[in-house]
Structure formats: structure tokens, C-alpha cells
């Protein structure tokens, strides 16, 4: 379904509501329910936001090779 253009008197259909209720992330949004994909540049690096929180969590679970059969991991 192509993107719906609303004007005075346009009927809201069940198909439109179902499409926007189940968004799909795509490169070029052409249809109802499609949203442009986020890029790293779209996110802020300011403390307390999603990007730095994710990076801190991801880095806390890093695994590295130890000596012999030992595995080192960061606290999680």
C-alpha cells in the first residue's frame, strides 16, 4: 500500500492502521508503515542516551583469549 495522503474527509482504513502499527525499517520508505532506517549518525553520543549506554553495555561483555584454556571476560 503506497503512503496514504490525508485530506479533509479521507477515510482511515484498517489496512492503514495495521501498517502503521507494525512498522518496517527500510532504506527508502515508500509505503504506509515503512520507516527510514536509523544510521549511526542519527544517534547522539551525549551521556544517558541510547548510543553510549549500548556501547558501554556491549563493551562490558567483551571476551578475550587468556593463557591456555582460560577465557577472560568483562563484568556484565
Amino acid at each position: 500500500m503506497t503512503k496514504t495522503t490525508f485530506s479533509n474527509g479521507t477515510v482511515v482504513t484498517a489496512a492503514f492502521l495495521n501498517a502503521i502499527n507494525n512498522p518496517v525499517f527500510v532504506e527508502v520508505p515508500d509505503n504506509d508503515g515503512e520507516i527510514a532506517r536509523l544510521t549511526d549518525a542519527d544517534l547522539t553520543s551525549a551521556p544517558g542516551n541510547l548510543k553510549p549506554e549500548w556501547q558501554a553495555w556491549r563493551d562490558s561483555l567483551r571476551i578475550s583469549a587468556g593463557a591456555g584454556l582460560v577465557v577472560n571476560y568483562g563484568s556484565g
Side-chain angles (χ1 to χ4, degrees):
M1 161 190 312
T2 58
K3 285 205 179 272
T4 303
T5 304
F6 287 96
S7 60
N8 194 10
T10 301
V11 176
V12 178
T13 64
F16 170 78
L17 295 174
N18 286 329
I20 63 170
N21 191 45
N22 297 301
V24 177
F25 292 93
V26 295
E27 293 297 324
V28 180
D30 291 328
N31 299 311
D32 285 337
E34 292 182 347
I35 300 172
R37 289 186 181 173
L38 293 174
T39 64
D40 192 52
D42 294 328
L43 301 173
T44 179
S45 293
N49 286 286
L50 178 65
K51 185 176 175 181
E53 295 294 326
W54 157 249
Q55 291 169 338
W57 180 81
R58 176 201 62 196
D59 293 345
S60 71
L61 297 174
R62 293 246 168 151
I63 296 175
S64 59
L69 299 175
V70 177
V71 174
N72 301 322
Y73 64 93
S75 62

